[in-house]
Amino acid sequence: MHVLIIGGGLAGMTAATSIRKFDKLVNITLVDPKDYMEVHWASVRSIFDPEMASKSTFDIQKWAVAKSVKVLRSSVTKLNPNDATLADGTVLEFNVAVICTGAQTKFPALGRGPPSTQAKEGSGSRERRLAQLTREG
């Protein structure tokens, strides 16, 4: 059994954690263009409390190792009933897909810009987002 989770935000990480608790052997792959997960409602405080910026983001890879989840830093460009094509052309086969792509807004403080801006090389790094949070809130 292979579960593909599209989106590494709160919903994607919660889905992976819940699936892992239910089944210790299932293969889980999480796809997200960023290398971090952000608690968006906490990041707004970073403009007033710069320490909050580092507390409102989490390294996805460290979490993934602990949960035995494979993380691919990419975007899904095509989704079929049993396979997904990534931005680099890689095709992933799966039995179940969980779509956790979240909401979109143009409000920069929430870190939810259009997916095309998140997928640019280097733009999805935690370090870059922390610098943005301390600069802009």
Side-chain angles (χ1 to χ4, degrees):
M1 172 68 81
H2 183 206
V3 176
L4 173 65
I5 298 176
I6 305 169
L10 188 58
M13 292 178 80
T14 300
T17 299
S18 298
I19 292 165
R20 178 57 67 222
K21 283 181 184 176
F22 180 76
D23 187 338
K24 304 288 186 212
L25 301 177
V26 67
N27 292 320
I28 302 172
T29 302
L30 186 143
V31 177
D32 194 273
K34 301 180 308 304
D35 67 356
Y36 65 93
M37 191 281 286
E38 183 172 355
V39 180
H40 296 288
W41 59 87
S43 62
V44 176
R45 281 188 49 198
S46 64
I47 195 167
F48 306 105
D49 181 3
E51 236 179 82
M52 183 55 69
S54 64
K55 293 177 183 176
S56 67
T57 62
F58 303 91
D59 184 319
I60 289 180
Q61 196 57 47
K62 288 181 185 176
W63 165 86
V65 169
K67 301 294 180 189
S68 299
V69 172
K70 180 179 181 179
V71 174
L72 299 176
R73 191 167 169 202
S74 187
S75 298
V76 173
T77 58
K78 184 176 181 183
L79 184 63
N80 294 312
N82 291 102
D83 66 61
T85 304
L86 302 183
D88 68 358
T90 301
V91 176
L92 298 175
E93 293 183 358
F94 59 84
N95 301 99
V96 176
V98 182
I99 302 171
C100 302
T101 53
Q104 298 294 320
T105 179
K106 293 183 179 181
F107 186 53
L110 291 178
R112 294 180 175 175
S116 61
T117 61
Q118 293 177 357
K120 290 180 185 171
E121 191 172 329
S123 67
S125 74
R126 182 171 186 246
E127 290 77 21
R128 187 176 179 139
R129 181 63 179 143
L130 289 175
Q132 181 186 25
L133 283 171
T134 56
R135 198 175 54 249
E136 302 169 11

